[in-house]
Amino acid sequence: MAGMAFVASPARAYPIAVANSSFEILPTGGLPYACGGACAYSGGTGIPGWVTTSPSTGEWIPGGYNGNPPAIDGNALAWSNGGAIYQTVGSAIAGTTYTLQVDVLDRTDTPATGLVQLEVGSNVVATAIGVDDGPGAWSDLTATYTALAADNGEPLTILLSSSGAQGDFDNVQLTASGDPAGPPDPPHTRPIAVANSSFEILPTGGLSNWCGGTCEYSEGGAIPGWKTEGNAGQWIVGGYKGNPSAIDGDVLAWVNAGEIYQTVGEAIAGTTYTLQVDVMQRTDWPMTGVVQLEIGSTVVATAVGVNAGPGTWSDWTATYTALAGDNGQPLTILLGSSGGQGDFDNVRLTESYAAPEPATWAMLLAGFGAIGALALRRGKITAA
């Protein structure tokens, strides 16, 4: 087949959800320290959705302090002075290229020392670089890494720290891209990162309410990585009234007359999304949990499952294939209740899509065949 150029389909890029990516979710109680005018900051009280390793970290609304610019995305940014801020966003997939972008501030009153890194397992695999636009300016730093076979399934973590004085960060973005070329059947499937998917990351201060023995819960506050409306929280069951423990770790999420939700990216037309969540039927409460998938502002799928009876967990599944009109719309997981309390754990979301059908490949190959033939006549082969 002289002159034929075989062309792989282009790499497909998709966003990976980063909890509190622009640091607009503030710790309980807000930013307690004033620094003049509209300037306020927190220190040592945690950053919702992130783990911090030192009290010398927090969130900051500059408010013009010492001529520094405002946050680049919203009102608040994150700062680190000798500590690390990190978030595990999922598991690495071999062959996937990860691109991390973070805006880093070069302050007017302290040197630029912000450090942005990507970690797989316990190894730093990439350090972001960019052009420093000078004091009082934000710079976009980028780190890129393609996961190796040995990285497959290892935790994928974003690290923000400082190499000396204070580092200031905003607008954290992470994307993944891979080559979907291959046989059209079965479709290609990959996980979509869900922040705090098993609810093991607790709010600042932990679970503040005691319910006997080792039973503890939070109520009405934040669930790191998630947004809440109404009455919701986290719970360590501790054998309360004979109810089973969380199915993945020690902690679950509960909702009573409200909802928990998380936007995990944007829908891509033709992609099939499968949402799986473990839902508990309590020994002392009717089964009222509701699991849904939303695109834009429309619920497109409600999960179903087999209820195994009081005191058990059931795996519920919702599936939806995005339409052309869904393309680019926010993709959101919703957990709620239809009456009493809903209890949830182990939230998983995958996307699958087929490679081009044989007819599509035929058209691509026919089109590029002419290009290949022309390239041969010019003494070289060009593969697009």
Side-chain angles (χ1 to χ4, degrees):
M1 303 204 333
M4 183 72 74
F6 290 89
V7 184
S9 57
R12 174 192 179 103
Y14 61 98
I16 293 177
V18 178
N20 199 11
S21 61
S22 290
F23 307 104
E24 295 304 298
I25 303 173
L26 303 180
T28 302
L31 306 183
Y33 304 114
C35 38
C39 178
Y41 69 98
S42 65
T45 55
I47 298 175
W50 297 79
V51 179
T52 58
T53 63
S54 165
S56 297
T57 55
E59 290 171 275
W60 180 32
I61 296 176
Y65 179 80
N66 283 356
N68 284 293
I72 200 164
D73 185 23
N75 298 311
L77 57 88
W79 64 270
S80 170
N81 193 340
I85 304 166
Y86 68 94
Q87 181 178 150
T88 298
V89 293
S91 299
I93 302 171
T96 298
T97 298
Y98 298 97
T99 301
L100 172 63
Q101 293 178 280
V102 180
D103 288 297
V104 179
L105 175 62
D106 185 346
R107 290 178 53 160
T108 59
D109 53 347
T110 190
T113 62
L115 192 60
V116 174
Q117 296 175 310
L118 198 59
E119 183 181 78
V120 174
S122 57
N123 298 315
V124 171
V125 295
T127 298
I129 57 175
V131 177
D132 185 347
D133 291 325
W138 286 94
S139 301
D140 186 9
L141 270 59
T142 302
T144 302
Y145 178 72
T146 300
L148 307 176
D151 298 325
N152 199 58
E154 292 293 318
L156 180 67
T157 301
I158 299 167
L159 297 173
L160 309 177
S161 62
S162 63
S163 60
Q166 183 169 308
D168 299 275
F169 313 94
D170 202 6
N171 193 25
V172 181
Q173 302 174 64
L174 181 63
T175 60
S177 61
D179 184 3
D185 187 27
H188 300 269
T189 300
R190 54 165 61 108
I192 295 175
V194 179
N196 201 11
S197 60
S198 290
F199 307 104
E200 297 301 299
I201 303 173
L202 302 181
T204 302
L207 306 183
S208 56
N209 301 294
W210 181 66
C211 38
T214 57
C215 178
E216 296 178 286
Y217 67 99
S218 63
E219 182 173 9
I223 297 177
W226 298 79
K227 293 184 178 180
T228 61
E229 291 184 1
N231 200 19
Q234 288 162 277
W235 182 24
I236 296 175
V237 180
Y240 180 79
K241 293 191 176 180
N243 285 293
S245 300
I247 202 164
D248 185 24
D250 299 316
V251 189
L252 58 87
W254 64 270
V255 178
N256 192 337
E259 66 180 14
I260 307 166
Y261 62 97
Q262 181 178 152
T263 297
V264 294
E266 296 179 351
I268 301 172
T271 297
T272 298
Y273 298 97
T274 301
L275 172 63
Q276 292 177 277
V277 180
D278 287 299
V279 182
M280 191 212 302
Q281 179 174 354
R282 292 177 54 162
T283 59
D284 55 340
W285 205 277
M287 168 75 88
T288 62
V290 177
V291 174
Q292 295 176 313
L293 199 58
E294 181 181 79
I295 291 182
S297 58
T298 302
V299 172
V300 294
T302 298
V304 295
V306 176
N307 183 358
T312 63
W313 287 93
S314 302
D315 188 11
W316 288 17
T317 302
T319 301
Y320 178 73
T321 300
L323 306 176
D326 299 324
N327 200 58
Q329 295 295 312
L331 178 67
T332 302
I333 299 167
L334 300 173
L335 308 177
S337 66
S338 59
Q341 183 170 310
D343 299 275
F344 312 94
D345 202 5
N346 194 24
V347 180
R348 293 145 287 156
L349 182 63
T350 61
E351 64 168 6
S352 61
Y353 53 94
E357 297 295 330
T360 304
W361 282 114
M363 287 189 293
L364 287 170
L365 293 172
F368 281 97
I371 298 173
L374 179 60
L376 282 174
R377 284 197 295 273
R378 291 178 176 175
K380 64 181 180 180
I381 300 176
T382 302

